[in-house]
Amino acid sequence: MLDYRLGEEHEALRKTVEQFAREVVAPAIGDYYERDAFPYDIVRQMGDMGLFGLPFGEEHGGMGGDYFALCLAIEELARVDSSVAITLEAGVSLGAVPIARFGTPEQKAEWLPRLCTGEMLGAFGLTEPGCGSDAGGTRTTARLDDGSWVVDGTKAFITNSGTDITGLVTVTAVTGQTPEGRKEISSIIVPAGTPGFTVAEKYSKVGWNASDTRGLSFAGCRVPEENLLGERGRGFAQFLQTLDEGRVAIAALAVGLAQGCLDESVTYAKQREAFGHPIGENQAIAFKLADMEVRAHTARLAYYRAAEKMLRGEPFKKEAAIAKLHASECAVTNAREATQIHGGYGFMNEFPVARMWRDAKVLEIGEGTSEVQRMLIARELGF
Ligand SMILES: Cc1cc2nc3c(=O)[nH]c(=O)nc-3n(C[C@H](O)[C@H](O)[C@H](O)COP(=O)(O)OP(=O)(O)OC[C@H]3O[C@@H](n4cnc5c(N)ncnc54)[C@H](O)[C@@H]3O)c2cc1C
């Protein structure tokens, strides 16, 4: 039977995060954003609420929830601010999930408890300065030498990689050649502070300014052989799986932003008067609001559907790509319309819609561009 109403636990979580976003994040985040500062205090409170442990078992210090619960939390945060939402999304789906899914019992015991409390953040380093969409073009290498992996290379645009609480980065690296002559790619856990691992200054970004994004370099960086994540040569398959799930979470983030733009615009359109009446009484504005509602609504259904298939254990690659593609494009359009509805004030940074406009664009780029999503969907259609 089709039923997309939230169950009691999911609804309780959604409400709690909604309240937290409204009461704690909203009043404080603008200041962090304008200073390009990482919101440690907010992240600590998100950790105290258990958000970083949502989809993990209690034996690892998690909340015993599911990935959909994580998506709901991300959506509610992004209704107010995307920097904190992406910090949670990347910390869990890129930082902790690969360890939970592919790690040895020792790796899980070492990292998951601190990742689940948010006391420590994990990052995932796939993209390189020379390749992002074409991730098979990885040039970073790792060679075995006397019981250690020696990592050399560079990574670009890595979220959560250089905060004071970053504990590890899992990097993809070429570890040899397959029998067919292709690159053998493996994933290796590099703890923060390992000699030979350098984290660059934060990028100056258009948006997500209160989120930490950096370039990384590795020069003769040695980590124990046991830091291989999962099987040697499975790195490519691991990140494809990680990204399929991550796309559902990014779609949730995009829905939150699309909804936040609508929330702000409805309020503004009722208050702001022009030509003697509220601007929302003009059908041109009311229709914009109606279209924004349609986008948020349909994008939410798309990610619910992808999450449902994921939780059932059914193939969900196409649904995840559809949700990510549709939700990110809806977010960009809603952000543009929200700015328009706010007129000149929409271009002023003190208004949340200005931040949302700056934050929206990257949703069409990160964790697979819109073109990559279309490639995935077309491939599922046989092209
Ligand atoms: C703020 C931010 C945070 C990020 N966080 C992380 C992170 O934590 N970890 C990580 O590993 N990466 C991260 N990324 C990297 C992100 O995933 C990549 O930027 C993205 O995958 C695109 O790769 P690229 O930038 O190399 O673009 P390219 O791959 O060079 O693409 C450039 C353009 O060409 C298009 N294109 C490429 N190939 C094709 C094709 N075959 N057909 C049609 N069009 C094509 C693309 O769609 C795009 O429009 C982050 C990026 C940003 C901006």
Side-chain angles (χ1 to χ4, degrees), residues 179-203:
E180 303 79 42
R182 285 199 292 270
K183 285 177 180 172
E184 177 198 81
I185 296 179
S186 306
S187 301
I188 297 184
I189 301 170
V190 182
T194 305
F197 169 24
T198 311
V199 179
E201 282 300 304
K202 276 190 295 190
Y203 292 98

mmCIF file of all heavy atoms in Angstrom, residues 179-203:
data_model
loop_
_atom_site.group_PDB
_atom_site.id
_atom_site.type_symbol
_atom_site.label_atom_id
_atom_site.label_comp_id
_atom_site.label_asym_id
_atom_site.label_seq_id
_atom_site.Cartn_x
_atom_site.Cartn_y
_atom_site.Cartn_z
ATOM 1 N N PRO A 179 43.986 -7.180 -13.737
ATOM 2 C CA PRO A 179 44.468 -8.095 -14.775
ATOM 3 C C PRO A 179 44.107 -7.610 -16.183
ATOM 4 O O PRO A 179 44.804 -7.907 -17.153
ATOM 5 C CB PRO A 179 43.740 -9.406 -14.446
ATOM 6 C CG PRO A 179 43.382 -9.299 -12.998
ATOM 7 C CD PRO A 179 43.176 -7.852 -12.717
ATOM 8 N N GLU A 180 43.013 -6.779 -16.293
ATOM 9 C CA GLU A 180 42.618 -6.279 -17.626
ATOM 10 C C GLU A 180 43.408 -5.028 -18.003
ATOM 11 O O GLU A 180 43.151 -4.416 -19.049
ATOM 12 C CB GLU A 180 41.120 -5.927 -17.664
ATOM 13 C CG GLU A 180 40.157 -7.049 -17.307
ATOM 14 C CD GLU A 180 40.034 -7.279 -15.801
ATOM 15 O OE1 GLU A 180 39.967 -6.292 -15.048
ATOM 16 O OE2 GLU A 180 40.030 -8.456 -15.383
ATOM 17 N N GLY A 181 44.298 -4.611 -17.132
ATOM 18 C CA GLY A 181 45.140 -3.451 -17.453
ATOM 19 C C GLY A 181 44.545 -2.122 -17.012
ATOM 20 O O GLY A 181 45.060 -1.062 -17.349
ATOM 21 N N ARG A 182 43.416 -2.169 -16.263
ATOM 22 C CA ARG A 182 42.835 -0.902 -15.779
ATOM 23 C C ARG A 182 43.437 -0.534 -14.428
ATOM 24 O O ARG A 182 44.107 -1.341 -13.790
ATOM 25 C CB ARG A 182 41.314 -1.047 -15.644
ATOM 26 C CG ARG A 182 40.593 -1.040 -16.981
ATOM 27 C CD ARG A 182 39.119 -0.710 -16.782
ATOM 28 N NE ARG A 182 38.420 -1.783 -16.080
ATOM 29 C CZ ARG A 182 37.830 -2.807 -16.686
ATOM 30 N NH1 ARG A 182 37.860 -2.898 -18.009
ATOM 31 N NH2 ARG A 182 37.210 -3.736 -15.995
ATOM 32 N N LYS A 183 43.144 0.717 -13.988
ATOM 33 C CA LYS A 183 43.648 1.146 -12.683
ATOM 34 C C LYS A 183 42.957 0.357 -11.578
ATOM 35 O O LYS A 183 41.721 0.252 -11.591
ATOM 36 C CB LYS A 183 43.343 2.626 -12.457
ATOM 37 C CG LYS A 183 44.228 3.567 -13.235
ATOM 38 C CD LYS A 183 43.786 5.004 -12.982
ATOM 39 C CE LYS A 183 44.677 5.956 -13.757
ATOM 40 N NZ LYS A 183 44.197 7.343 -13.700
ATOM 41 N N GLU A 184 43.735 -0.134 -10.635
ATOM 42 C CA GLU A 184 43.136 -0.749 -9.438
ATOM 43 C C GLU A 184 43.019 0.375 -8.408
ATOM 44 O O GLU A 184 44.025 0.948 -7.991
ATOM 45 C CB GLU A 184 44.057 -1.853 -8.919
ATOM 46 C CG GLU A 184 43.552 -2.486 -7.631
ATOM 47 C CD GLU A 184 44.651 -3.248 -6.903
ATOM 48 O OE1 GLU A 184 45.453 -2.604 -6.197
ATOM 49 O OE2 GLU A 184 44.698 -4.478 -7.033
ATOM 50 N N ILE A 185 41.764 0.700 -8.033
ATOM 51 C CA ILE A 185 41.554 1.807 -7.087
ATOM 52 C C ILE A 185 41.080 1.252 -5.750
ATOM 53 O O ILE A 185 40.184 0.409 -5.691
ATOM 54 C CB ILE A 185 40.534 2.825 -7.653
ATOM 55 C CG1 ILE A 185 41.119 3.462 -8.925
ATOM 56 C CG2 ILE A 185 40.200 3.896 -6.629
ATOM 57 C CD1 ILE A 185 40.224 4.462 -9.612
ATOM 58 N N SER A 186 41.718 1.717 -4.679
ATOM 59 C CA SER A 186 41.350 1.267 -3.332
ATOM 60 C C SER A 186 41.090 2.482 -2.452
ATOM 61 O O SER A 186 41.479 3.604 -2.799
ATOM 62 C CB SER A 186 42.493 0.445 -2.714
ATOM 63 O OG SER A 186 42.859 -0.614 -3.576
ATOM 64 N N SER A 187 40.412 2.253 -1.326
ATOM 65 C CA SER A 187 40.153 3.346 -0.380
ATOM 66 C C SER A 187 41.029 3.154 0.853
ATOM 67 O O SER A 187 41.117 2.044 1.389
ATOM 68 C CB SER A 187 38.690 3.343 0.067
ATOM 69 O OG SER A 187 37.847 3.478 -1.039
ATOM 70 N N ILE A 188 41.620 4.244 1.294
ATOM 71 C CA ILE A 188 42.549 4.173 2.427
ATOM 72 C C ILE A 188 42.197 5.247 3.443
ATOM 73 O O ILE A 188 41.923 6.403 3.076
ATOM 74 C CB ILE A 188 43.995 4.348 1.919
ATOM 75 C CG1 ILE A 188 44.290 3.164 0.999
ATOM 76 C CG2 ILE A 188 45.000 4.446 3.069
ATOM 77 C CD1 ILE A 188 45.626 3.047 0.456
ATOM 78 N N ILE A 189 42.176 4.850 4.707
ATOM 79 C CA ILE A 189 41.843 5.808 5.774
ATOM 80 C C ILE A 189 43.127 6.529 6.203
ATOM 81 O O ILE A 189 44.090 5.889 6.640
ATOM 82 C CB ILE A 189 41.264 5.072 7.007
ATOM 83 C CG1 ILE A 189 40.007 4.296 6.611
ATOM 84 C CG2 ILE A 189 40.986 6.044 8.146
ATOM 85 C CD1 ILE A 189 39.508 3.353 7.706
ATOM 86 N N VAL A 190 43.094 7.860 6.077
ATOM 87 C CA VAL A 190 44.253 8.651 6.512
ATOM 88 C C VAL A 190 43.821 9.499 7.715
ATOM 89 O O VAL A 190 42.992 10.407 7.572
ATOM 90 C CB VAL A 190 44.765 9.569 5.382
ATOM 91 C CG1 VAL A 190 46.000 10.343 5.852
ATOM 92 C CG2 VAL A 190 45.073 8.756 4.128
ATOM 93 N N PRO A 191 44.345 9.196 8.900
ATOM 94 C CA PRO A 191 43.984 10.005 10.068
ATOM 95 C C PRO A 191 44.520 11.428 9.939
ATOM 96 O O PRO A 191 45.598 11.644 9.371
ATOM 97 C CB PRO A 191 44.671 9.279 11.239
ATOM 98 C CG PRO A 191 44.944 7.895 10.739
ATOM 99 C CD PRO A 191 45.188 8.037 9.270
ATOM 100 N N ALA A 192 43.756 12.390 10.464
ATOM 101 C CA ALA A 192 44.213 13.786 10.453
ATOM 102 C C ALA A 192 45.532 13.866 11.211
ATOM 103 O O ALA A 192 45.729 13.166 12.208
ATOM 104 C CB ALA A 192 43.162 14.665 11.127
ATOM 105 N N GLY A 193 46.423 14.698 10.728
ATOM 106 C CA GLY A 193 47.681 14.907 11.437
ATOM 107 C C GLY A 193 48.776 13.923 11.067
ATOM 108 O O GLY A 193 49.894 14.018 11.583
ATOM 109 N N THR A 194 48.486 12.972 10.166
ATOM 110 C CA THR A 194 49.526 12.035 9.753
ATOM 111 C C THR A 194 50.622 12.806 9.007
ATOM 112 O O THR A 194 50.309 13.598 8.115
ATOM 113 C CB THR A 194 48.937 10.961 8.800
ATOM 114 O OG1 THR A 194 47.835 10.337 9.439
ATOM 115 C CG2 THR A 194 49.982 9.915 8.433
ATOM 116 N N PRO A 195 51.912 12.599 9.353
ATOM 117 C CA PRO A 195 52.976 13.302 8.631
ATOM 118 C C PRO A 195 52.869 13.039 7.123
ATOM 119 O O PRO A 195 52.566 11.919 6.703
ATOM 120 C CB PRO A 195 54.260 12.692 9.213
ATOM 121 C CG PRO A 195 53.858 12.203 10.575
ATOM 122 C CD PRO A 195 52.424 11.748 10.447
ATOM 123 N N GLY A 196 53.074 14.079 6.347
ATOM 124 C CA GLY A 196 52.978 13.944 4.890
ATOM 125 C C GLY A 196 51.590 14.267 4.358
ATOM 126 O O GLY A 196 51.375 14.326 3.149
ATOM 127 N N PHE A 197 50.636 14.481 5.252
ATOM 128 C CA PHE A 197 49.257 14.836 4.856
ATOM 129 C C PHE A 197 49.045 16.314 5.185
ATOM 130 O O PHE A 197 49.057 16.690 6.356
ATOM 131 C CB PHE A 197 48.278 13.936 5.627
ATOM 132 C CG PHE A 197 46.827 14.341 5.548
ATOM 133 C CD1 PHE A 197 46.324 15.102 4.499
ATOM 134 C CD2 PHE A 197 45.930 13.930 6.538
ATOM 135 C CE1 PHE A 197 44.994 15.468 4.432
ATOM 136 C CE2 PHE A 197 44.596 14.280 6.489
ATOM 137 C CZ PHE A 197 44.130 15.051 5.436
ATOM 138 N N THR A 198 48.881 17.124 4.148
ATOM 139 C CA THR A 198 48.733 18.571 4.363
ATOM 140 C C THR A 198 47.354 19.028 3.912
ATOM 141 O O THR A 198 46.888 18.657 2.830
ATOM 142 C CB THR A 198 49.794 19.352 3.544
ATOM 143 O OG1 THR A 198 51.059 18.749 3.783
ATOM 144 C CG2 THR A 198 49.842 20.808 3.930
ATOM 145 N N VAL A 199 46.747 19.827 4.762
ATOM 146 C CA VAL A 199 45.427 20.381 4.450
ATOM 147 C C VAL A 199 45.613 21.845 4.080
ATOM 148 O O VAL A 199 46.237 22.600 4.831
ATOM 149 C CB VAL A 199 44.512 20.257 5.698
ATOM 150 C CG1 VAL A 199 43.142 20.841 5.407
ATOM 151 C CG2 VAL A 199 44.399 18.811 6.128
ATOM 152 N N ALA A 200 45.079 22.228 2.909
ATOM 153 C CA ALA A 200 45.267 23.618 2.451
ATOM 154 C C ALA A 200 44.311 24.560 3.177
ATOM 155 O O ALA A 200 43.404 24.127 3.888
ATOM 156 C CB ALA A 200 45.012 23.686 0.951
ATOM 157 N N GLU A 201 44.513 25.852 2.950
ATOM 158 C CA GLU A 201 43.584 26.858 3.471
ATOM 159 C C GLU A 201 42.196 26.599 2.888
ATOM 160 O O GLU A 201 42.076 26.035 1.795
ATOM 161 C CB GLU A 201 44.047 28.255 3.036
ATOM 162 C CG GLU A 201 45.205 28.794 3.855
ATOM 163 C CD GLU A 201 44.862 28.915 5.330
ATOM 164 O OE1 GLU A 201 43.868 29.597 5.633
ATOM 165 O OE2 GLU A 201 45.563 28.309 6.161
ATOM 166 N N LYS A 202 41.169 27.080 3.609
ATOM 167 C CA LYS A 202 39.807 26.936 3.089
ATOM 168 C C LYS A 202 39.666 27.673 1.764
ATOM 169 O O LYS A 202 40.244 28.737 1.586
ATOM 170 C CB LYS A 202 38.819 27.568 4.077
ATOM 171 C CG LYS A 202 38.422 26.664 5.189
ATOM 172 C CD LYS A 202 37.280 27.244 5.969
ATOM 173 C CE LYS A 202 37.670 28.529 6.671
ATOM 174 N NZ LYS A 202 36.681 29.014 7.612
ATOM 175 N N TYR A 203 38.862 27.117 0.849
ATOM 176 C CA TYR A 203 38.577 27.839 -0.385
ATOM 177 C C TYR A 203 37.710 29.048 -0.059
ATOM 178 O O TYR A 203 36.924 29.018 0.899
ATOM 179 C CB TYR A 203 37.754 26.961 -1.341
ATOM 180 C CG TYR A 203 38.466 25.765 -1.910
ATOM 181 C CD1 TYR A 203 38.292 24.500 -1.353
ATOM 182 C CD2 TYR A 203 39.274 25.885 -3.037
ATOM 183 C CE1 TYR A 203 38.923 23.390 -1.892
ATOM 184 C CE2 TYR A 203 39.896 24.771 -3.583
ATOM 185 C CZ TYR A 203 39.726 23.530 -3.004
ATOM 186 O OH TYR A 203 40.340 22.442 -3.540
#
